């Protein structure tokens, strides 16, 4: 599985253009936090980023494409943070990294602009990251790649299926944890880790 490498109509050729695109994405994130996806528009993004509306359409066809690029940026940020944590911390077993993965997601939910609304894109399209797969499947595939590399695990169907189930289950409980509390219900956040760690330890503990 491969994600769309970019939602851009064309890649910025110069540093100034690249910086302008990042300002558009930052503006998109700010507006998402303030007004939600329904309140997002290319006009508002242009105004917030202090660019001409023509500059927005030079790189993006519509607001969904901007949200897609932001979701891809979120996924890369999430993957980079998980990869660093796996390299820096020592775990007795690979599934002991579950808590760290959840911790990174929760921290992004609390601190990264726009993430609490967009996350990895479901609010815009369940296939936002990849037209051929649902967003959660893309996230699970990214985690599988990182874990296989970090712990020299066999890359097989059982492992992929277990991670797919784990991501779906964690996503559901995390949504519940953040539904009424901006920083997440601590008891429910603890339940997410207990649920997923227990499932993976029981299902794949022999690896």
């Amino acid at each position: 599985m491969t994600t769309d490498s970019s939602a851009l109509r064309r890649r910025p050729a110069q540093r100034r253009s690249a910086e302008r695109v990042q300002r558009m994405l930052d503006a998109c994130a700010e507006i998402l936090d303030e007004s939600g996806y329904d309140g997002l528009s290319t006009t508002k993004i242009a105004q917030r980023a202090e660019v001409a509306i023509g500059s927005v359409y030079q790189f993006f066809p519509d607001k969904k494409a901007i949200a897609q690029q932001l979701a891809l940026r979120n996924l890369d940020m999430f993957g980079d943070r998980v990869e660093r944590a796996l390299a820096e911390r020592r775990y007795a077993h690979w599934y002991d990294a579950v808590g760290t993965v959840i911790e990174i997601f929760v921290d992004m939910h609390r601190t990264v602009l726009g993430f609490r609304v967009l996350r990895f894109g479901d609010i815009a399209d369940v296939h936002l990251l990849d037209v051929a797969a649902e967003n959660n499947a893309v996230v699970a595939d990214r985690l599988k790649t990182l874990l296989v590399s970090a712990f020299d695990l066999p890359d097989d169907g059982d492992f992929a299926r277990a991670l797919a189930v784990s991501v779906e289950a964690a996503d559901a409980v995390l949504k519940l944890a953040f539904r009424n509390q901006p920083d997440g219900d601590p008891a429910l956040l603890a339940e997410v880790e207990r649920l997923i760690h227990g499932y993976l330890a029981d299902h794949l503990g022999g690896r």
Side-chain angles (χ1 to χ4, degrees):
M1 182 186 304
T2 58
T3 60
D4 294 333
S5 60
S6 177
L8 292 163
R9 273 181 160 166
R10 71 177 185 82
R11 293 184 179 278
Q14 299 177 343
R15 179 179 176 181
R16 183 178 299 176
S17 296
E19 291 173 347
R20 190 160 62 244
V21 168
Q22 290 305 312
R23 289 207 311 275
M24 295 177 201
L25 297 181
D26 292 342
C28 177
E30 291 174 5
I31 295 166
L32 284 170
D33 269 354
E34 295 168 5
S35 307
Y37 186 72
D38 289 342
L40 186 68
S41 71
T42 53
T43 299
K44 289 181 179 179
I45 290 169
Q47 292 172 343
R48 182 67 61 92
E50 298 182 341
V51 300
I53 189 67
S55 292
V56 175
Y57 289 123
Q58 183 180 14
F59 294 101
F60 300 102
D62 51 34
K63 75 172 189 178
K64 182 179 174 181
I66 303 173
Q68 181 185 10
Q69 190 67 23
L70 182 60
L72 287 165
R73 189 173 78 171
N74 287 343
L75 179 65
D76 286 341
M77 183 187 300
F78 178 70
D80 288 346
R81 290 187 181 187
V82 171
E83 185 174 22
R84 285 199 303 272
L86 293 177
E88 294 169 357
R89 306 184 191 186
R90 294 184 178 182
Y91 298 98
H93 198 281
W94 66 266
Y95 54 75
D96 290 329
V98 167
T100 298
V101 174
I102 293 170
E103 175 186 303
I104 290 168
F105 180 92
V106 170
D107 181 69
M108 288 180 65
H109 200 289
R110 292 169 175 168
T111 64
V112 176
L113 283 174
F115 189 80
R116 67 180 180 86
V117 175
L118 184 65
R119 299 191 182 191
F120 300 115
D122 278 11
I123 195 169
D125 188 334
V126 295
H127 292 275
L128 195 66
L129 295 174
D130 191 321
V131 295
E134 292 188 0
N135 300 324
N136 278 346
V138 175
V139 174
D141 191 65
R142 178 69 64 92
L143 288 173
K144 178 173 68 71
T145 298
L146 293 171
L147 290 168
V148 165
S149 175
F151 295 97
D152 194 26
L153 295 165
D155 187 357
D156 58 27
D158 285 345
F159 189 47
R161 184 168 52 253
L163 283 180
V165 170
S166 297
V167 169
E168 289 290 347
D171 182 53
V173 183
L174 284 166
K175 285 176 180 174
L176 179 62
F178 284 102
R179 186 171 298 161
N180 296 314
Q181 295 193 32
D183 287 335
D185 182 322
L188 287 173
L189 294 177
E191 286 299 304
V192 177
E193 182 175 349
R194 189 166 73 91
L195 174 70
I196 304 306
H197 186 278
Y199 166 71
L200 290 174
D202 180 66
H203 194 65
L204 298 171
R207 292 183 176 229

